[in-house]
Structure formats: structure tokens, C-alpha cells
Amino acid sequence: MPPKNRFAELLPEITAWRRDFHEHPELLFDVHRTAARVAELCRSFGCDEVTEGIGRTGVVAMIRGRTNSSGRVIGLRADMDALPIKEQTGVPYASKTPGKMHACGHDGHTAMLLGAAKYLAETRNFDGTVVCIFQPAEEGGGGGREMVQDGLIKHWKIDEVYGMHNMPGIPVGQFAIRPGAMMAAADQFEIVVTGKGGHAAKPHDCIDTTVVAAHIIVAIQTIVSRNTDPMQQLVISVCTVETDSPAHNVIPQEVKMKGTVRTLDGKLQDFVEKRLAEVVEGTALALGARADIHYQRGYPVTVNSEENTYFAAEVARQVSGHCDTNTPPLMGAEDFSFMLNERPGAYIFVGNGDTAMVHHPAYNFDDQVIPFGSSWYAGMAEARMPIA
Ligand SMILES: [Zn+2]
Ligand SMILES: [Zn+2]
């Protein structure tokens, strides 16, 4: 495939961009330096239009093909934000900001899409328009949603969108994808248990909120094990438990708990939201206490459209020879889902080899992935909108 040769030549340059981003990680929407560099590079490539400030700090770079008889617009998306993690890679280009780190490889995604933009702007071997989308705040801020709300899809008239994420454990040079649900919906909940506090040696005069909370934690898991079809994936995790007294001899008046719900199916998500309230409130009632639950929907399920998935896999095979089209879905979440909710498209994994998992302090993006990732982005534009 032609792009691959070009990306072998461009590898030192793209690697330098990647390592510069790695040295200067920024969180959530505060990706000002990264976004400014992305915009500057896209302008230097000769992209036809570079727009900053979409979804607060997102950047959109538009590249017109040699012809436009198709009238089609393909969106290619990368994320730019880092994580609040103290880096432990020991690489010479490690984060210069203590406590911030590119531990999810978004530095690599941004660099690979920049590489594709440079190649596409210099060759323009496609019949239509490419819109390169650099989004902020994937790690919990919903930057993808904000870009959509800011008119990303409508203003640039995007017909299809494609995204990519590196994945440790998959060999470098291999891809993995699946049609349908690829990443989970991530919702969060907060539970407040109210009872009657008092002396720990006189439990009969109290309504013990910690015992109620413990029963609730256990009862919640019956939604997974007893109320849900075992062939369906569901995770409910209670992640924090906090009482209003630090003492060892006080029954607290109130216990607060926080947790997350992960689903791959909208109907199951609705069911869990309803059932969680019943189990939490009912368990508290049975033990003479009161529990209130606040449930909040987060990132939706990332759903790959079938035809686009197999097309994306075919392009991946042309790039590297390897693409698994039946990779299991992950219960992590991804805000590219907001773009896939608007338009058909697909989200693909590119192997990062035998490295620490993403979000680990020793994780690092492997620069050998760059020619594969950039080739896939560019290949999607060329193959999806071929010159007649
Ligand atoms: Zn991440
Ligand atoms: Zn990520």
C-alpha cells in the first residue's frame, strides 16, 4: 500500500511530534499547547481550513481531495489529552510536568493523525473531503460530546467518522475491531444511606448505616448475577465508601458510596438504572434505614456500524495483513461514541505490543506503531473516496 512507504520516510518527523506531546502532557480541556501545535502543523501542511476552539479546545483540519465528484466527507478522529498519573517510564522524553502523563497513548493518536494529514495534504489522492478531528478531554470530560454540540458533524457535513486507539497486548502491526458494541456505556451513581448514629456499643439504639451500606453493596451484585442474562455483559462496581465519622466507636449518621455501571446494550442500561434504585431503596427500607440514589448517564456505548467496520478492517489488512474482526468488546468507555451516535463509522484498535496497559505509570506508546496507524487513517480516506 503506497502510504506505508511514505510513512516509513516520515517516521522520524512524526516520532518527534509524538515525543514533544509526551513531554508536555495536558489534561481534559486544558490542552492549549497541544492544540496550538496541532493547528500550527496542520497549517504548515497546507490543509485547506484549520479551525481552533471547537468543543472548547478541539482542532478541525479540512483537506480537499484532488476531485470532489463524490461530495463525500470522511471524519478521522484522534484525542489529545493526558492523565493525572505520575510517570514511571524512565524514557528521556518523559513528562516534564509531575503528576501528568500521556498514559493512554493519545500523544501517539494525535501524532499519527497529523502524519496522515501531512500525507493527505501533499498527495490528495481522494475524491471528496477529509476532516481531521483533534479532540480534547476524552478522559472523562466528554470532549467528543462538546465538539458534536459545537456543530462538528453539521458544519463540516461529515458523512462517516473513524477513530483509532492503541491497545497493549495486540502485537504491533496488527489491528482488531468488531461490528456492533465495541466499548461500553459508563454511568455513575452516588448512594446516600441515612440511619441513626450513636454509640457503637449501643447498636440497638441506632440504625446502623454501615451495616445497611454493606448489605446494599452485596445486594447490588445480585443485579449482575441473578437479574441479568449470563450471556450479557454487565459490570457494577461500588468504588468508594465514606462515613461521616472517623472514629472507631461511633455508628455514623450517614454513609456515602460511589460507583460505576458498564453496559453494552441500551435496554440493559435502562433496566439497571431502574433495578439499582429498587435494590438500594428496598434494602435500606428492610433494615429500617433510608437510601437515596443519584444515577447519572455518562459516555454512551461505542457502536461500530457493520458495513463501515468490515471496510475499516479491509483497509487495516491492506496496511498490515492482520485484522481480527471479532475482538471482544471492552467494558471501558470512549466518548468517540458521541460522534458514532451522529454518523455511521467505526472505532479500531491498533496493537501497541507487549507494553504495560494504558493508564499504568509504566505505559508508553510504541513509535513503531506510527506507520501502521498513519497508513490506516490515510488509507481510510483514499479507499473510502477513490478517484474515479
Ligand atoms: Zn484512557
Ligand atoms: Zn485513551
Side-chain angles (χ1 to χ4, degrees):
M1 179 155 193
K4 212 171 160 190
N5 299 331
R6 181 67 180 124
F7 288 119
E9 287 165 25
L10 289 173
L11 181 57
E13 190 180 1
I14 302 173
T15 300
W17 302 334
R18 204 286 284 185
R19 294 183 176 192
D20 173 63
F21 294 137
H22 194 88
E23 263 186 27
H24 301 96
E26 297 175 295
L27 303 185
L28 295 167
F29 289 98
D30 292 326
V31 291
H32 300 284
R33 182 190 182 278
T34 309
R37 182 79 181 121
V38 164
E40 180 193 9
L41 283 168
C42 287
R43 287 192 184 102
S44 77
F45 305 153
C47 294
D48 297 286
E49 241 183 65
V50 179
T51 311
E52 293 173 76
I54 303 299
R56 295 197 236 175
T57 40
V59 179
V60 179
M62 193 254 273
I63 307 163
R64 290 193 188 91
R66 197 176 297 162
T67 53
N68 188 23
S69 64
S70 76
R72 299 180 76 191
V73 182
I74 300 287
L76 304 172
R77 174 270 200 176
D79 37 17
M80 300 188 285
D81 58 320
L83 283 159
I85 292 177
K86 193 163 173 275
E87 180 159 353
Q88 288 174 12
T89 60
V91 295
Y93 54 88
S95 167
K96 285 187 167 150
T97 313
K100 293 184 190 175
M101 174 191 176
H102 266 294
C104 205
H106 299 184
D107 49 346
H109 306 162
T110 298
M112 291 191 294
L113 183 54
L114 282 169
K118 179 172 173 129
Y119 165 85
L120 290 168
E122 72 188 22
T123 53
R124 299 183 187 256
N125 277 327
F126 54 95
D127 176 47
T129 304
V130 171
V131 173
C132 298
I133 305 160
F134 299 89
Q135 79 149 76
E138 191 285 322
E139 300 286 3
R145 172 176 45 209
E146 296 228 6
M147 288 191 86
V148 169
Q149 284 169 348
D150 243 2
L152 171 72
I153 304 293
K154 288 194 182 97
H155 179 80
W156 278 274
K157 301 185 170 61
I158 294 170
D159 296 307
E160 296 175 3
V161 278
Y162 297 93
M164 175 166 39
H165 205 292
N166 78 94
M167 191 48 67
I170 299 174
V172 172
Q174 296 193 15
F175 291 83
I177 196 168
R178 69 177 292 108
M182 176 91 169
M183 303 283 284
D187 300 341
Q188 55 188 46
F189 59 84
E190 201 178 323
I191 297 166
V192 180
V193 180
T194 317
K196 188 179 165 209
H199 200 294
K202 292 175 86 52
H204 55 290
D205 289 338
C206 305
I207 295 168
D208 189 345
T209 46
T210 57
V211 170
V212 176
H215 275 274
I216 287 175
I217 293 169
V218 175
I220 280 175
Q221 291 308 324
T222 64
I223 302 173
V224 183
S225 63
R226 304 289 85 185
N227 298 154
T228 303
D229 183 336
M231 299 311 285
Q232 275 195 302
Q233 293 94 334
L234 170 63
V235 177
I236 308 178
S237 295
V238 176
C239 302
T240 71
V241 181
E242 189 191 333
T243 73
D244 60 4
S245 166
H248 64 270
N249 57 356
V250 172
I251 288 174
Q253 189 75 17
E254 194 179 87
V255 178
K256 281 187 186 160
M257 297 185 278
K258 286 182 190 170
T260 184
V261 173
R262 306 294 170 107
T263 49
L264 293 171
D265 175 85
K267 270 195 201 132
L268 182 61
Q269 188 182 20
D270 291 343
F271 169 77
V272 173
E273 180 172 358
K274 182 172 146 280
R275 186 74 190 129
L276 201 52
E278 289 167 1
V279 170
V280 166
E281 288 161 13
T283 303
L285 193 68
L287 298 170
R290 180 197 154 113
D292 298 289
I293 179 164
H294 176 65
Y295 191 98
Q296 202 184 350
R297 298 249 171 160
Y299 293 177
V301 183
T302 302
V303 182
N304 283 340
S305 328
E306 192 163 320
E307 192 263 335
N308 307 75
T309 300
Y310 290 117
F311 198 95
E314 200 41 51
V315 170
R317 280 195 197 103
Q318 285 165 20
V319 167
S320 78
H322 296 277
C323 184
D324 174 6
T325 50
N326 192 28
T327 194
L330 293 185
M331 299 311 275
E334 167 57 68
D335 74 345
F336 182 57
S337 51
F338 289 104
M339 299 182 195
L340 283 178
N341 275 359
E342 299 295 315
R343 292 293 182 270
Y347 179 76
I348 197 167
F349 292 139
V350 62
N352 197 57
D354 187 20
T355 62
M357 189 35 84
V358 291
H359 294 211
H360 188 277
Y363 165 84
N364 196 11
F365 180 82
D366 186 337
D367 291 316
Q368 294 309 311
V369 177
I370 290 171
F372 297 101
S374 289
S375 294
W376 180 79
Y377 274 130
M380 283 308 297
E382 291 182 343
R384 210 62 185 148
M385 302 182 292
I387 301 234

